[in-house]
Amino acid sequence: MTKARALYALWIAGIVALFCLHFPHLLADFPNHSPWMDYSKYTDEGWYADAAVRHFLIGHWYLHGDFNPAVALPVWPLLLAFVFHFTGVSLAAARAVIVSVLGLNLFLSYRVLRTQAPRWVALAAVTLLVSSPFLYAFSRLALQEPLVIGILLLTWIQALRLKNDAERRRPWRLIAIGLLLCLLLLTKTTGVFLLPSTLFLIGWACEFHLRSSLRALSITIAAALVPACIWYFVLVRPHYRVDFTYLFEVNRWPQPAGIPAHLAAYWWSLRGVLWISPALCILAAALLACVFVPRRRQKGKDSAASDGFWSNPLTLASLLAASGYVVFAGMQNNPQPRYYETVIYPVVFLAVLAAADLLARFQSVSLRIAACAPPAVMAALCVAGAIRIAGYVRHPEYTWLNAATQLTRYIDGHPAPNHILLSVSGDQIELTTHLPSICDDYGTWDLPYRIHAYHPSWYAGWNEMDPGTLEDLTTQYSLEQVASFPAFDDPDRNVLLLYRLHPLPPPQQRYLAKEERLDNAGK
């Protein structure tokens, strides 16, 4: 074995060791007192897994009037249902799946970069990703973002291979890309903001020849739309149209008024990239500034070589992917750290490609020494990130698991007319302890009608009772606080309060019948 191969083997072993650190303590909290305050750790794992959880626990995946996101986003719950068939319903199993998806994403990142860059560049990118504390924290939550980026990277690989395909094979590869894009949209609808990056790579593979590019894009888009339309018009529209549209309604946040406020929203969205790592993002921005002006073309050199960074299709594809998700967060006017789990991949790609371009650009010894500074900074970031990840592994906290378990034990030990829990974190608790639940915050039925239909005997909320929820509950119940459980670190949500719901006498109950509610909604 040559010295270079031995070094590469040692490097890969280090990457594998860092990746393996993602598996211990799967049931531990999202790191407390971290820079990333994201409400997904309270709710989202349960919400987007609820179809698979219900299928095994109560025998059917759909709950009338409750929050049913699987209608619009079926890929993740279908994958979990397959896994739960062998493991049973388990938060640990769901998180193990998503960490395994992270491993696949690291491999796909390597394969994507190897199509356009040397091995050391691809390994540098994978090392930055696997040693990122930000990615460690969010990739251990059973959310869809890792699956989204995995499908996107698969489309990139297929699009990059188009260039070398024989003409008769191209339509089949384009159809495969289209089917992957359909899966991307059915995994998370925000994936639509990543589509331009794949479509750009298809145009690049066709050398941006107008006729062949339009033909390729038409085949791809048709292959994506046909199964998506079949899903919607055959299954969703006839049976679950209300749930489908509801998912988009509840994700519509108040929009700013006026141009300055809109610009501020996009500015905050762009600043959100710093959640990934301020040092990494500043380094990537500095490197982009350094390579912003293309290299001068030299005699006897081919144009692709002379333009290096900007002639690389992954440069613009990564810029399109990163900017697409930043635009989405700005449009939402609600940037959340978890959104940037998808952005970290193109940011890292841009950083390593730009660093490699600077190394190749400078020929003199002094300039090449200066160009080694960015890789040295990246190495320092990897070491610092690995130390931080090791700290998370050595000091896990289980405040959420303890709170959910103690709450479930309390309910099991105190008989009530109904075992159902009403809570915004109910689906999360159900995934963790199998306690039947419905959501008090989201649902296609108004809360008074929902509680009339399902008769929950328990309510759990965080820190303080929401006045609107209290008003809805008191239409049919009186509330008695019976227990409290500390969990997580956010001062606004660090105590889970449990209430016993005592039904009011029938003459005192006030709620709209389903028909009245629908009539009022129509008006």
Side-chain angles (χ1 to χ4, degrees):
M1 180 182 290
T2 65
K3 185 181 293 186
R5 286 188 176 181
L7 288 174
Y8 277 128
L10 187 62
W11 193 348
I12 293 170
I15 290 173
V16 172
L18 279 172
F19 170 64
C20 289
L21 289 181
H22 291 65
F23 280 98
H25 313 298
L26 284 174
L27 290 176
D29 293 343
F30 181 93
N32 287 315
H33 310 293
S34 71
W36 316 294
M37 177 52 229
D38 195 298
Y39 287 126
S40 62
K41 63 186 180 182
Y42 297 93
T43 54
D44 288 33
E45 290 178 287
W47 282 347
Y48 295 105
D50 63 4
V53 173
R54 291 169 183 163
H55 171 73
F56 287 98
L57 295 184
I58 63 176
H60 50 86
W61 66 272
Y62 181 80
L63 203 60
H64 287 280
D66 201 45
F67 188 41
N68 294 287
V71 169
L73 309 173
V75 174
W76 176 236
L78 283 172
L79 176 58
L80 283 184
F82 173 78
V83 173
F84 289 164
H85 177 77
F86 300 98
T87 65
V89 174
S90 164
L91 177 60
R95 290 182 174 178
V97 171
I98 215 63
V99 174
S100 300
V101 172
L102 169 67
L104 176 62
N105 291 348
L106 296 175
F107 174 74
L108 293 175
S109 298
Y110 176 83
R111 295 301 303 164
V112 165
L113 286 164
R114 279 296 285 128
T115 63
Q116 306 296 321
R119 181 183 298 177
W120 74 266
V121 175
L123 287 176
V126 174
T127 308
L128 282 167
L129 291 169
V130 78
S131 62
S132 165
F134 173 85
L135 195 58
Y136 170 88
F138 282 97
S139 66
R140 284 164 45 89
L141 291 179
L143 305 176
Q144 303 103 311
E145 273 75 12
L147 195 55
V148 166
I149 197 66
I151 297 172
L152 178 71
L153 292 174
L154 282 172
T155 68
W156 283 16
I157 290 174
Q158 296 302 315
L160 289 166
R161 289 177 178 173
L162 271 174
K163 195 157 193 173
N164 298 321
D165 272 351
E167 192 65 31
R168 59 186 177 80
R169 291 187 59 187
R170 279 196 170 190
W172 296 107
R173 195 178 295 278
L174 291 168
I175 290 172
I177 295 172
L179 293 175
L180 286 170
L181 292 179
C182 177
L183 285 177
L184 179 66
L185 296 178
L186 293 178
T187 301
K188 194 162 188 180
T189 53
T190 54
V192 70
F193 292 91
L194 300 172
L195 296 189
S197 63
T198 300
L199 299 182
F200 164 79
L201 289 176
I202 292 173
W204 170 83
C206 297
E207 299 180 346
F208 299 109
H209 184 275
L210 182 60
R211 185 173 179 180
S212 58
S213 295
L214 287 176
R215 178 173 176 269
L217 292 174
S218 299
I219 294 172
T220 304
I221 293 171
L225 286 178
V226 168
C229 289
I230 291 173
W231 172 263
Y232 179 76
F233 288 105
V234 174
L235 179 67
V236 173
R237 184 177 173 82
H239 307 290
Y240 308 109
R241 181 173 57 85
V242 172
D243 299 270
F244 184 87
T245 56
Y246 180 76
L247 178 68
F248 298 93
E249 291 172 4
V250 298
N251 283 293
R252 188 179 302 149
W253 292 84
Q255 293 297 299
I259 293 177
H262 273 90
L263 292 176
Y266 286 103
W267 168 245
W268 282 107
S269 174
L270 182 60
R271 280 194 61 181
V273 179
L274 295 176
W275 273 317
I276 293 171
S277 165
L280 176 61
C281 292
I282 292 170
L283 176 64
L287 288 169
L288 284 176
C290 290
V291 298
F292 187 78
V293 179
R295 285 189 263 179
R296 293 181 181 177
R297 298 189 179 183
Q298 304 172 18
K299 291 181 180 180
K301 301 282 186 181
D302 115 350
S303 61
S306 65
D307 280 343
F309 179 75
W310 294 106
S311 66
N312 191 326
L314 291 179
T315 298
L316 287 178
S318 298
L319 283 171
L320 285 170
S323 59
Y325 239 65
V326 169
V327 167
F328 154 70
M331 288 176 60
Q332 283 284 90
N333 191 30
N334 183 40
Q336 296 289 321
R338 66 181 177 276
Y339 297 155
Y340 298 88
E341 187 181 353
T342 304
V343 178
I344 186 175
Y345 287 84
V347 167
V348 166
F349 292 176
L350 289 169
V352 296
L353 290 171
D357 183 72
L358 285 180
L359 281 171
R361 177 179 299 204
F362 298 138
Q363 300 300 321
S364 68
V365 174
S366 59
L367 288 177
R368 286 183 70 84
I369 292 174
C372 288
V377 173
M378 291 180 188
L381 287 173
C382 292
V383 172
I387 293 172
R388 193 167 170 187
I389 289 172
Y392 291 149
V393 175
R394 289 179 58 196
H395 305 288
E397 296 182 82
Y398 290 89
T399 63
W400 167 251
L401 179 65
N402 292 337
T405 302
Q406 291 171 21
L407 179 145
T408 302
R409 285 176 181 169
Y410 185 94
I411 292 176
D412 288 341
H414 294 77
N418 200 317
H419 207 54
I420 293 177
L421 172 71
L422 176 71
S423 177
V424 67
S425 298
D427 287 329
Q428 192 84 351
I429 294 171
E430 187 171 13
L431 175 60
T432 306
T433 67
H434 303 176
L435 179 70
S437 70
I438 57 174
C439 182
D440 71 303
D441 202 18
Y442 294 133
T444 53
W445 290 350
D446 291 339
L447 184 55
Y449 183 77
R450 211 178 323 146
I451 60 179
H452 169 70
Y454 290 104
H455 305 291
S457 292
W458 306 93
Y459 171 76
W462 291 96
N463 289 49
E464 296 180 356
M465 175 73 74
D466 177 73
T469 302
L470 178 61
E471 181 180 356
D472 288 337
L473 289 174
T474 52
T475 60
Q476 295 157 68
Y477 295 99
S478 63
L479 281 72
E480 175 193 3
Q481 183 178 328
V482 293
S484 63
F485 311 96
F488 291 127
D489 59 335
D490 179 30
D492 295 325
R493 284 192 177 191
N494 59 4
V495 179
L496 187 63
L497 304 176
L498 179 63
Y499 297 84
R500 175 73 179 263
L501 299 179
H502 299 283
L504 296 173
Q508 297 181 25
Q509 294 188 13
R510 310 180 312 278
Y511 64 88
L512 291 177
K514 183 179 180 182
E515 293 76 12
E516 295 177 88
R517 182 184 61 82
L518 293 175
D519 287 345
N520 289 343
K523 293 175 184 178

